[in-house]
Amino acid sequence: KNIINLISMISMGVVAFVTAAMIIVLSAFSGIEELVKDLFSSFDAPFTIVPETGKTIPDSLLTEEWLQSIEGLGHYSRIIEEDAWISYGKNNVVATIKGVEERFTQLAPFDSLMYSGVFALEFDGTPSSVIGQGIRMNLDIPVDPSMPASMRIHAPVRGKKLSRYREKAFKERSVAVSGAYTANAELDNRYIFVSLSFARELFGMDSLISSVELMPSAGTDEARFHEPLKAALPEGLKILTRYARNAL
């Protein structure tokens, strides 16, 4: 009888331990999910269409008509996202250039993120940019919308290797700085926003994009939005949630 009681107590202890471990693991996953949301929700829409392989999507694969036919879609923006070398005076940084459509501001709350200046991707008919506060500090570039300073963007030329072409492996363009945003340390040191048309010319992607970011309309259940869209995607594309895209 004592042995039976002992076995029962051990079994109860094991069950309690396993249950506690499961609670801890689930809590950790929940915490990670919230962390991802806090870090990246400022910029990343809930869903992003990306290529299954490679880095680009032909414009012809995701036409305006097809995108507007997505049930439950509120807002969207085509995106070009590539790394480049940025210089201002003697200061240099490497940053990710994110070319977006004008409607992108409907996906991200930039009104509440601006540290100085304004979110404007065109200034007096010429291309402009919005940079992270971390990038602004590293470049030591002033932000004054009335007299915007210009930085140089050195973009890798598609198909040209640096080891062979050296200086000719980069395309250089000047762009004014209209504002600086602040979201968190990682994003502030990573992204520079420009117009999609400027990014197309800069990176030689006239008929290509990197992705399309999607925001369901208000009141649309994200799970119900995700599954039908996943099934309807053209071949060679996939859809990522914000959490899958920024998995820690």
Side-chain angles (χ1 to χ4, degrees), residues 22-247:
M22 290 177 66
I23 292 172
I24 292 170
V25 170
L26 290 173
S27 297
F29 275 114
S30 177
I32 290 172
E33 197 169 90
E34 287 302 312
L35 176 61
V36 169
K37 184 176 181 179
D38 289 343
L39 286 176
F40 299 101
S41 60
S42 300
F43 292 164
D44 287 349
F47 300 100
T48 304
I49 299 174
V50 298
E52 287 186 333
T53 59
K55 295 177 61 179
T56 59
I57 301 172
D59 284 346
S60 58
L61 208 55
L62 293 174
T63 64
E64 196 80 19
E65 293 75 18
W66 189 89
L67 289 167
Q68 291 180 357
S69 71
I70 298 174
E71 186 176 353
L73 179 63
H75 306 291
Y76 67 92
S77 175
R78 295 177 178 85
I79 304 291
I80 287 178
E81 199 167 314
E82 293 285 342
D83 292 338
W85 160 37
I86 318 299
S87 62
Y88 178 73
K90 296 181 179 180
N91 301 318
N92 299 273
V93 298
V94 173
T96 298
I97 305 297
K98 188 164 184 173
V100 301
E101 295 183 275
E102 187 176 349
R103 67 188 73 161
F104 180 75
T105 53
Q106 298 171 324
L107 299 173
F110 273 97
D111 287 347
S112 62
L113 295 176
M114 296 306 297
Y115 181 84
S116 58
V118 295
F119 189 92
L121 304 183
E122 186 177 289
F123 184 83
D124 286 345
T126 60
S128 187
S129 64
V130 176
I131 64 178
Q133 175 64 2
I135 295 172
R136 190 205 69 76
M137 293 176 66
N138 288 328
L139 290 176
D140 195 23
I141 187 169
V143 175
D144 182 354
S146 63
M147 297 182 63
S150 291
M151 59 187 180
R152 297 287 289 176
I153 300 180
H154 313 259
V157 176
R158 298 172 67 83
K160 288 190 176 182
K161 293 183 178 181
L162 179 61
S163 59
R164 180 176 179 182
Y165 291 94
R166 297 185 181 276
E167 291 84 0
K168 293 182 179 179
F170 291 92
K171 178 188 288 188
E172 294 187 20
R173 292 291 183 270
S174 290
V175 64
V177 177
S178 63
Y181 67 84
T182 182
N184 61 58
E186 180 175 348
L187 297 178
D188 292 358
N189 284 282
R190 179 177 177 186
Y191 283 112
I192 294 173
F193 290 88
V194 299
S195 69
L196 185 67
S197 58
F198 180 82
R200 284 190 187 278
E201 192 277 332
L202 179 66
F203 294 108
M205 297 173 66
D206 292 340
S207 58
L208 298 170
I209 56 175
S210 304
S211 62
V212 178
E213 296 190 6
L214 310 171
M215 172 75 75
S217 57
T220 299
D221 182 81
E222 291 191 0
R224 292 183 179 179
F225 177 85
H226 179 223
E227 290 305 321
L229 178 58
K230 182 179 178 181
L233 279 177
E235 187 176 353
L237 302 179
K238 62 182 179 180
I239 185 166
L240 297 178
T241 65
R242 178 187 291 133
Y243 307 109
R245 189 178 183 192
N246 299 296

